[in-house]
Protein backbone atom coordinates (compact mmCIF):
# COMPACT_ATOMS: atom_id res chain seq x y z
CA UNK A 1 0.00 0.00 0.00
CA UNK A 2 2.06 2.95 -1.25
CA UNK A 3 -0.58 5.64 -1.68
CA UNK A 4 -1.74 7.37 1.49
CA UNK A 5 -5.47 8.16 1.36
CA UNK A 6 -6.12 11.91 1.28
CA UNK A 7 -8.19 12.00 4.49
CA UNK A 8 -5.44 10.66 6.74
CA UNK A 9 -3.71 12.22 9.74
CA UNK A 10 -0.18 13.37 8.83
CA UNK A 11 2.80 14.72 10.74
CA UNK A 12 2.57 18.47 11.14
CA UNK A 13 5.29 20.66 9.64
CA UNK A 14 4.79 23.30 12.35
CA UNK A 15 3.25 21.71 15.47
CA UNK A 16 2.46 23.84 18.50
CA UNK A 17 4.84 21.72 20.56
CA UNK A 18 6.85 18.51 20.56
CA UNK A 19 5.81 16.42 23.52
CA UNK A 20 8.01 13.64 24.90
CA UNK A 21 5.96 10.77 26.34
CA UNK A 22 2.69 9.65 27.86
CA UNK A 23 2.60 10.45 31.58
CA UNK A 24 -0.56 9.09 33.15
CA UNK A 25 -4.19 8.04 32.82
CA UNK A 26 -6.94 9.16 35.20
CA UNK A 27 -9.88 6.80 35.69
CA UNK A 28 -13.12 7.21 37.59
CA UNK A 29 -14.12 4.06 39.46
CA UNK A 30 -17.24 3.25 41.47
CA UNK A 31 -15.46 0.65 43.61
CA UNK A 32 -12.10 2.17 44.43
CA UNK A 33 -10.93 -0.62 46.75
CA UNK A 34 -11.70 -3.40 44.27
CA UNK A 35 -9.93 -1.51 41.49
CA UNK A 36 -6.94 -0.82 43.74
CA UNK A 37 -6.56 -4.47 44.71
CA UNK A 38 -6.71 -5.49 41.06
CA UNK A 39 -4.02 -3.09 39.88
CA UNK A 40 -1.69 -4.20 42.65
CA UNK A 41 -2.13 -7.78 41.38
CA UNK A 42 -1.54 -6.39 37.88
CA UNK A 43 1.86 -5.10 39.02
CA UNK A 44 1.51 -1.40 39.82
CA UNK A 45 2.85 0.03 43.09
CA UNK A 46 0.68 2.24 45.31
CA UNK A 47 2.48 5.53 45.91
CA UNK A 48 -0.27 7.66 47.45
CA UNK A 49 -3.64 6.84 48.95
CA UNK A 50 -6.07 9.58 49.92
CA UNK A 51 -9.81 9.68 50.36
CA UNK A 52 -11.24 9.58 46.87
CA UNK A 53 -7.97 8.92 44.99
CA UNK A 54 -5.22 6.32 44.74
CA UNK A 55 -2.04 6.95 42.73
CA UNK A 56 0.15 4.20 41.29
CA UNK A 57 3.58 4.11 39.68
CA UNK A 58 5.70 1.73 37.67
CA UNK A 59 9.11 0.41 38.72
CA UNK A 60 11.16 2.87 36.67
CA UNK A 61 9.82 6.09 38.17
CA UNK A 62 8.74 7.78 41.39
CA UNK A 63 6.10 9.71 39.44
CA UNK A 64 2.48 8.50 39.18
CA UNK A 65 1.32 6.91 35.93
CA UNK A 66 -2.14 5.68 37.01
CA UNK A 67 -4.79 7.53 39.01
CA UNK A 68 -7.96 5.86 40.30
CA UNK A 69 -10.53 8.39 41.48
CA UNK A 70 -13.84 7.81 43.25
CA UNK A 71 -16.81 8.36 40.93
CA UNK A 72 -20.43 7.33 40.49
CA UNK A 73 -19.54 5.43 37.31
CA UNK A 74 -16.56 3.78 35.62
CA UNK A 75 -15.11 6.11 32.99
CA UNK A 76 -12.04 7.86 31.61
CA UNK A 77 -11.36 11.17 33.35
CA UNK A 78 -8.21 12.38 31.61
CA UNK A 79 -4.79 11.86 30.03
CA UNK A 80 -1.37 13.22 31.00
CA UNK A 81 1.54 13.94 28.62
CA UNK A 82 5.12 14.98 29.42
CA UNK A 83 6.86 17.88 27.67
CA UNK A 84 10.53 18.87 28.14
CA UNK A 85 10.67 22.25 26.37
CA UNK A 86 9.80 25.28 28.50
CA UNK A 87 9.25 27.31 25.33
CA UNK A 88 6.75 24.78 23.98
CA UNK A 89 5.04 24.68 27.36
CA UNK A 90 4.58 28.46 27.32
CA UNK A 91 3.10 28.22 23.81
CA UNK A 92 0.51 25.72 25.02
CA UNK A 93 -0.41 27.92 27.99
CA UNK A 94 -1.56 30.61 25.54
CA UNK A 95 -4.12 28.36 23.81
CA UNK A 96 -7.69 29.59 24.37
CA UNK A 97 -9.47 27.74 27.24
CA UNK A 98 -6.16 26.26 28.47
CA UNK A 99 -6.08 25.80 32.25
CA UNK A 100 -2.73 26.34 34.00
CA UNK A 101 -1.88 24.65 37.33
CA UNK A 102 1.45 25.76 38.83
CA UNK A 103 1.62 22.79 41.21
CA UNK A 104 0.29 20.23 38.78
CA UNK A 105 -2.69 17.93 39.16
CA UNK A 106 -1.34 14.62 40.48
CA UNK A 107 2.35 15.54 40.86
CA UNK A 108 4.26 18.68 41.78
CA UNK A 109 5.26 19.75 38.26
CA UNK A 110 3.47 22.60 36.45
CA UNK A 111 0.82 21.51 33.97
CA UNK A 112 -1.54 23.05 31.51
CA UNK A 113 -4.81 21.31 30.70
CA UNK A 114 -6.01 21.32 27.11
CA UNK A 115 -9.11 19.66 25.69
CA UNK A 116 -8.99 17.44 22.62
CA UNK A 117 -11.84 17.64 20.05
CA UNK A 118 -13.82 15.00 21.94
CA UNK A 119 -13.64 17.10 25.12
CA UNK A 120 -11.10 14.85 26.89
CA UNK A 121 -8.91 16.82 29.36
CA UNK A 122 -5.24 16.43 28.44
CA UNK A 123 -2.76 17.54 31.13
CA UNK A 124 0.56 18.62 29.63
CA UNK A 125 3.22 18.38 32.35
CA UNK A 126 6.44 20.37 32.04
CA UNK A 127 9.28 18.28 33.43
CA UNK A 128 13.04 18.49 32.81
CA UNK A 129 14.31 15.63 30.67
CA UNK A 130 16.90 14.58 33.24
CA UNK A 131 14.08 14.05 35.75
CA UNK A 132 12.84 11.02 33.77
CA UNK A 133 14.57 7.79 34.78
CA UNK A 134 15.64 5.40 32.02
CA UNK A 135 14.88 1.78 32.99
CA UNK A 136 17.76 -0.66 32.81
CA UNK A 137 17.45 -4.34 31.99
CA UNK A 138 18.10 -6.43 35.10
CA UNK A 139 18.37 -9.95 33.64
CA UNK A 140 20.93 -9.43 30.88
CA UNK A 141 22.59 -12.63 29.68
CA UNK A 142 20.24 -15.16 31.29
CA UNK A 143 18.94 -16.73 28.06
CA UNK A 144 20.63 -19.84 26.69
CA UNK A 145 20.62 -20.44 22.94
CA UNK A 146 22.23 -23.00 20.58
CA UNK A 147 26.00 -22.65 20.91
CA UNK A 148 25.76 -20.05 23.65
CA UNK A 149 24.99 -20.84 27.31
CA UNK A 150 25.49 -17.86 29.63
CA UNK A 151 23.23 -19.53 32.22
CA UNK A 152 25.54 -22.53 32.73
CA UNK A 153 24.88 -24.68 35.82
CA UNK A 154 22.19 -22.23 36.88
CA UNK A 155 18.53 -23.32 36.68
CA UNK A 156 16.10 -20.54 35.90
CA UNK A 157 14.47 -19.50 39.19
CA UNK A 158 10.71 -19.55 39.70
CA UNK A 159 9.17 -16.72 41.64
CA UNK A 160 5.38 -16.40 41.93
CA UNK A 161 4.35 -12.75 42.28
CA UNK A 162 2.81 -9.91 40.25
CA UNK A 163 4.54 -8.76 37.08
CA UNK A 164 7.18 -6.07 37.48
CA UNK A 165 5.76 -3.12 35.53
CA UNK A 166 8.34 -0.72 34.15
CA UNK A 167 6.11 2.05 32.84
CA UNK A 168 2.84 3.05 31.20
CA UNK A 169 3.50 2.50 27.51
CA UNK A 170 0.43 3.54 25.53
CA UNK A 171 -3.29 4.22 25.52
CA UNK A 172 -5.86 3.47 22.80
CA UNK A 173 -8.79 5.86 22.44
CA UNK A 174 -12.00 5.36 20.47
CA UNK A 175 -13.25 8.59 18.92
CA UNK A 176 -16.44 9.44 17.06
CA UNK A 177 -14.50 11.97 14.96
CA UNK A 178 -11.41 9.99 14.01
CA UNK A 179 -9.59 12.40 11.67
CA UNK A 180 -10.33 15.51 13.73
CA UNK A 181 -8.95 13.98 16.92
CA UNK A 182 -5.94 12.28 15.33
CA UNK A 183 -4.96 15.49 13.53
CA UNK A 184 -5.26 17.46 16.78
CA UNK A 185 -2.66 15.26 18.50
CA UNK A 186 -0.31 15.64 15.52
CA UNK A 187 -0.73 19.41 15.31
CA UNK A 188 -0.71 20.09 19.05
CA UNK A 189 2.03 17.71 20.22
CA UNK A 190 4.00 16.99 17.04
CA UNK A 191 3.08 13.31 17.06
CA UNK A 192 4.04 11.19 14.06
CA UNK A 193 1.72 8.59 12.50
CA UNK A 194 3.80 5.39 12.56
CA UNK A 195 1.12 3.29 10.88
CA UNK A 196 -2.40 3.88 9.60
CA UNK A 197 -5.00 1.17 9.01
CA UNK A 198 -7.68 1.60 6.36
CA UNK A 199 -10.87 -0.30 5.56
CA UNK A 200 -10.67 -2.80 2.66
CA UNK A 201 -13.65 -1.51 0.66
CA UNK A 202 -14.01 2.23 1.29
CA UNK A 203 -10.27 2.72 2.01
CA UNK A 204 -11.28 5.03 4.85
CA UNK A 205 -8.63 5.37 7.59
CA UNK A 206 -9.94 4.13 10.95
CA UNK A 207 -6.88 3.60 13.17
CA UNK A 208 -3.63 5.54 13.56
CA UNK A 209 -0.65 4.59 15.74
CA UNK A 210 1.02 7.80 16.93
CA UNK A 211 4.55 8.18 18.31
CA UNK A 212 6.26 11.18 19.86
CA UNK A 213 8.80 13.03 17.72
CA UNK A 214 12.09 12.93 19.67
CA UNK A 215 14.30 13.51 16.60
CA UNK A 216 17.21 11.05 16.72
CA UNK A 217 16.09 9.71 20.10
CA UNK A 218 14.11 6.49 19.79
CA UNK A 219 10.44 6.61 20.71
CA UNK A 220 7.85 3.86 21.13
CA UNK A 221 6.16 2.85 17.86
CA UNK A 222 2.98 4.17 19.44
CA UNK A 223 2.20 5.98 22.67
CA UNK A 224 -1.30 7.08 21.67
CA UNK A 225 -3.63 5.27 19.29
CA UNK A 226 -6.76 6.91 17.86
CA UNK A 227 -9.44 4.61 16.41
CA UNK A 228 -12.91 5.17 15.00
CA UNK A 229 -15.61 4.31 17.51
CA UNK A 230 -19.33 4.60 18.14
CA UNK A 231 -18.61 6.44 21.41
CA UNK A 232 -15.65 8.43 22.74
CA UNK A 233 -13.92 6.16 25.24
CA UNK A 234 -10.71 4.49 26.41
CA UNK A 235 -10.33 1.10 24.72
CA UNK A 236 -7.24 -0.13 26.57
CA UNK A 237 -3.97 0.86 28.19
CA UNK A 238 -0.67 -1.03 27.97
CA UNK A 239 2.21 -1.34 30.43
CA UNK A 240 5.76 -2.27 29.48
CA UNK A 241 7.47 -5.24 31.12
CA UNK A 242 11.05 -6.42 30.77
CA UNK A 243 10.65 -9.56 28.66
CA UNK A 244 8.50 -12.54 27.69
CA UNK A 245 9.27 -14.27 30.97
CA UNK A 246 7.80 -11.34 32.90
CA UNK A 247 4.70 -11.23 30.67
CA UNK A 248 4.11 -14.94 31.28
CA UNK A 249 4.68 -14.60 35.02
CA UNK A 250 2.17 -11.76 35.17
CA UNK A 251 -0.38 -13.92 33.40
CA UNK A 252 0.12 -16.83 35.80
CA UNK A 253 -0.28 -14.56 38.81
CA UNK A 254 -3.47 -12.87 37.56
CA UNK A 255 -5.10 -16.16 36.55
CA UNK A 256 -4.13 -17.71 39.87
CA UNK A 257 -5.79 -14.82 41.68
CA UNK A 258 -9.03 -15.46 39.78
CA UNK A 259 -8.92 -12.40 37.53
CA UNK A 260 -10.51 -12.38 34.09
CA UNK A 261 -8.16 -12.85 31.10
CA UNK A 262 -8.60 -10.93 27.87
CA UNK A 263 -6.37 -12.37 25.17
CA UNK A 264 -2.83 -13.67 25.00
CA UNK A 265 -0.03 -14.50 24.94
CA UNK A 266 0.86 -13.45 21.38
CA UNK A 267 2.87 -10.98 19.27
CA UNK A 268 1.39 -7.95 17.56
CA UNK A 269 2.05 -7.10 13.94
CA UNK A 270 2.13 -3.28 14.09
CA UNK A 271 4.45 -2.38 16.95
CA UNK A 272 5.65 -6.00 17.29
CA UNK A 273 4.96 -6.22 21.05
CA UNK A 274 4.63 -9.55 22.83
CA UNK A 275 1.24 -9.01 24.47
CA UNK A 276 -1.09 -10.35 27.11
CA UNK A 277 -4.46 -8.69 27.76
CA UNK A 278 -6.58 -8.85 30.90
CA UNK A 279 -9.78 -7.21 32.09
CA UNK A 280 -10.00 -5.15 35.25
CA UNK A 281 -13.08 -5.33 37.52
CA UNK A 282 -14.91 -2.80 35.32
CA UNK A 283 -14.32 -4.97 32.24
CA UNK A 284 -11.76 -2.59 30.70
CA UNK A 285 -8.83 -4.14 28.86
CA UNK A 286 -5.32 -3.63 30.23
CA UNK A 287 -2.21 -5.06 28.60
CA UNK A 288 1.18 -6.34 29.68
CA UNK A 289 3.72 -6.13 26.85
CA UNK A 290 7.43 -6.49 26.08
CA UNK A 291 9.80 -6.08 23.11
CA UNK A 292 7.98 -3.28 21.29
CA UNK A 293 9.36 -1.45 18.25
CA UNK A 294 11.31 1.78 18.74
CA UNK A 295 11.47 4.40 15.93
CA UNK A 296 13.29 7.67 15.48
CA UNK A 297 11.71 10.50 13.49
CA UNK A 298 13.06 9.28 10.13
CA UNK A 299 10.70 6.29 9.70
CA UNK A 300 7.85 7.09 7.27
CA UNK A 301 4.19 6.31 7.82
CA UNK A 302 2.98 2.83 6.85
CA UNK A 303 -0.47 2.17 5.37
CA UNK A 304 -2.20 -1.18 5.94
CA UNK A 305 -5.58 -2.81 5.47
CA UNK A 306 -7.40 -3.52 8.71
CA UNK A 307 -8.74 -6.92 9.71
CA UNK A 308 -8.44 -9.21 12.71
CA UNK A 309 -5.28 -10.79 11.32
CA UNK A 310 -3.58 -7.38 11.19
CA UNK A 311 -3.63 -7.34 15.00
CA UNK A 312 -1.21 -10.20 15.55
CA UNK A 313 1.56 -12.32 14.02
CA UNK A 314 1.03 -15.31 16.27
CA UNK A 315 -0.72 -16.22 19.48
CA UNK A 316 -3.78 -17.79 20.98
CA UNK A 317 -7.01 -17.46 19.02
CA UNK A 318 -8.56 -14.05 19.53
CA UNK A 319 -11.70 -14.44 21.68
CA UNK A 320 -14.91 -13.52 19.96
CA UNK A 321 -15.65 -10.80 22.50
CA UNK A 322 -12.16 -9.23 22.44
CA UNK A 323 -13.26 -6.60 19.92
CA UNK A 324 -16.52 -5.17 21.26
CA UNK A 325 -18.70 -4.91 18.14
CA UNK A 326 -22.02 -5.06 20.00
CA UNK A 327 -24.56 -2.28 19.47
CA UNK A 328 -25.74 -1.72 23.03
CA UNK A 329 -28.36 0.85 23.99
CA UNK A 330 -25.62 2.91 25.64
CA UNK A 331 -23.51 2.96 22.49
CA UNK A 332 -26.47 3.81 20.27
CA UNK A 333 -27.43 6.58 22.68
CA UNK A 334 -23.88 8.01 22.51
CA UNK A 335 -23.93 7.75 18.71
CA UNK A 336 -27.24 9.60 18.45
CA UNK A 337 -26.01 12.22 20.88
CA UNK A 338 -22.90 12.78 18.79
CA UNK A 339 -24.86 13.11 15.55
CA UNK A 340 -27.34 15.55 17.12
CA UNK A 341 -24.46 17.68 18.43
CA UNK A 342 -23.16 18.13 14.89
CA UNK A 343 -20.14 15.82 15.01
CA UNK A 344 -18.84 14.56 11.68
CA UNK A 345 -19.66 10.88 12.13
CA UNK A 346 -19.71 8.44 9.20
CA UNK A 347 -22.17 5.68 10.03
CA UNK A 348 -21.22 3.66 6.89
CA UNK A 349 -17.59 3.70 8.03
CA UNK A 350 -18.56 2.44 11.49
CA UNK A 351 -20.69 -0.32 9.96
CA UNK A 352 -17.87 -1.44 7.64
CA UNK A 353 -15.47 -1.46 10.58
CA UNK A 354 -17.94 -3.58 12.58
CA UNK A 355 -18.20 -6.04 9.69
CA UNK A 356 -14.41 -6.35 9.31
CA UNK A 357 -13.90 -6.83 13.06
CA UNK A 358 -16.26 -9.81 13.13
CA UNK A 359 -14.40 -11.90 10.53
CA UNK A 360 -11.92 -14.40 11.99
CA UNK A 361 -8.43 -14.42 10.41
CA UNK A 362 -8.33 -18.19 10.83
CA UNK A 363 -10.84 -19.83 8.51
CA UNK A 364 -11.02 -22.95 10.64
CA UNK A 365 -12.29 -20.93 13.62
CA UNK A 366 -16.09 -20.71 13.70
CA UNK A 367 -17.30 -18.04 16.14
Amino acid sequence: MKQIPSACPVRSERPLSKAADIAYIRLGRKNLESASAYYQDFGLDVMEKKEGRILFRGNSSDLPCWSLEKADRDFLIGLGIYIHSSEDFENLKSIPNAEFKQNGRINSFPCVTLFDPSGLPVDVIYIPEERIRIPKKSREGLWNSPGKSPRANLPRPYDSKPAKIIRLGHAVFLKQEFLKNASWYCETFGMIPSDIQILPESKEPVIVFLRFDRGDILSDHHSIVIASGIADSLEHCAFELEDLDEVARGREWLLGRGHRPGWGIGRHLLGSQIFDYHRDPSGMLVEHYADGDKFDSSVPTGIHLINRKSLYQWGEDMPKDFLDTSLSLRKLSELCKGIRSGKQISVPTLMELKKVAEVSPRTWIKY
Side-chain angles (χ1 to χ4, degrees):
M1 310 265 339
K2 295 183 179 179
Q3 295 299 317
I4 298 179
S6 57
C8 272
V10 296
R11 69 170 79 189
S12 172
E13 294 184 2
R14 299 184 66 183
L16 295 176
S17 69
K18 286 195 175 181
D21 203 356
I22 187 169
Y24 55 72
I25 291 288
R26 299 172 58 215
L27 295 175
R29 285 294 182 262
K30 291 185 294 184
N31 191 328
L32 210 54
E33 292 305 317
S34 172
S36 175
Y38 175 83
Y39 281 106
Q40 290 176 72
D41 278 341
F42 190 73
L44 288 169
D45 296 330
V46 175
M47 63 174 296
E48 179 184 283
K49 190 172 184 179
K50 294 182 177 180
E51 185 177 356
R53 188 181 75 182
I54 305 173
L55 298 181
F56 299 81
R57 66 176 180 86
N59 182 263
S60 68
S61 176
D62 57 0
L63 297 173
C65 67
W66 201 246
S67 176
L68 298 179
E69 303 173 25
K70 183 66 177 177
D72 59 1
R73 60 192 176 95
D74 297 328
F75 74 112
L76 170 67
I77 297 176
L79 162 71
I81 288 176
Y82 287 132
I83 194 168
H84 296 327
S85 166
S86 59
E87 181 179 351
D88 284 354
F89 185 71
E90 291 300 318
N91 290 339
L92 296 180
K93 283 171 61 177
S94 65
I95 293 177
N97 300 319
E99 300 174 358
F100 175 63
K101 295 178 177 62
Q102 178 62 47
N103 297 318
R105 187 188 297 278
I106 67 172
N107 57 41
S108 59
F109 293 93
C111 84
V112 57
T113 302
L114 310 178
F115 297 87
D116 78 8
S118 75
L120 178 69
V122 181
D123 297 336
V124 187
I125 303 100
Y126 171 62
I127 185 169
E129 187 167 4
E130 59 271 16
R131 184 63 177 74
I132 303 295
R133 283 168 50 188
I134 300 174
K136 296 180 179 180
K137 190 171 177 64
S138 63
R139 290 200 293 264
E140 198 70 49
L142 289 183
W143 288 85
N144 287 340
S145 58
K148 186 177 181 182
S149 302
R151 207 180 70 251
N153 303 323
L154 183 64
R156 182 173 289 279
Y158 175 75
D159 191 8
S160 180
K161 61 182 181 180
K164 183 179 177 181
I165 286 177
I166 296 172
R167 55 187 279 269
L168 172 64
H170 63 260
V172 178
F173 300 97
L174 302 180
K175 301 290 188 181
Q176 291 182 331
E177 295 182 294
F178 165 77
L179 182 61
K180 189 174 183 179
N181 280 275
S183 297
W184 184 85
Y185 282 88
C186 293
E187 293 162 3
T188 306
F189 302 119
M191 301 197 77
I192 301 172
S194 296
D195 286 295
I196 295 172
Q197 292 187 285
I198 64 176
L199 290 167
E201 294 181 10
S202 66
K203 301 300 186 290
E204 283 292 314
V206 289
I207 298 180
V208 60
F209 297 81
L210 298 172
R211 72 182 185 272
F212 289 102
D213 183 357
R214 304 291 309 280
D216 294 336
I217 299 174
L218 294 176
S219 181
D220 288 350
H221 171 272
H222 56 276
S223 296
I224 291 175
V225 179
I226 305 295
S228 293
I230 292 176
D232 296 321
S233 62
L234 176 64
E235 197 271 341
H236 83 263
C237 286
F239 296 83
E240 186 176 19
L241 309 185
E242 192 164 86
D243 52 29
L244 171 58
D245 229 27
E246 200 67 26
V247 173
R249 182 169 72 173
R251 179 178 181 81
E252 286 295 303
W253 179 262
L254 286 166
L255 294 179
R257 299 282 286 179
H259 297 302
R260 182 183 172 191
W263 175 39
I265 297 174
R267 186 182 281 278
H268 281 307
L269 185 60
L270 302 179
S272 303
Q273 299 94 336
I274 290 174
F275 65 81
D276 187 32
Y277 291 90
H278 294 265
R279 292 191 183 273
D280 77 2
S282 75
M284 189 186 82
L285 286 167
V286 280
E287 176 188 2
H288 285 150
Y289 79 89
D291 193 33
D293 292 336
K294 304 282 186 178
F295 288 177
D296 62 24
S297 63
S298 69
V299 180
T301 301
I303 305 293
H304 317 267
L305 293 177
I306 184 171
N307 49 50
R308 278 192 172 229
K309 184 57 180 171
S310 68
L311 295 180
Y312 63 119
Q313 301 179 31
W314 55 260
E316 293 187 358
D317 298 327
M318 185 190 298
K320 182 179 180 180
D321 66 349
F322 180 77
L323 299 177
D324 185 6
T325 61
S326 63
L327 294 176
S328 65
L329 288 176
R330 183 191 64 80
K331 286 185 183 179
L332 290 174
S333 174
E334 289 296 317
L335 178 61
C336 291
K337 188 188 301 182
I339 293 173
R340 286 196 302 268
S341 68
K343 288 186 176 181
Q344 299 175 359
I345 300 173
S346 172
V347 175
T349 296
L350 292 173
M351 294 308 295
E352 186 181 351
L353 180 57
K354 181 179 186 298
K355 178 182 175 182
V356 168
E358 292 174 344
V359 178
S360 171
R362 295 171 172 176
T363 56
W364 61 92
I365 301 290
K366 303 299 181 184
Y367 288 137

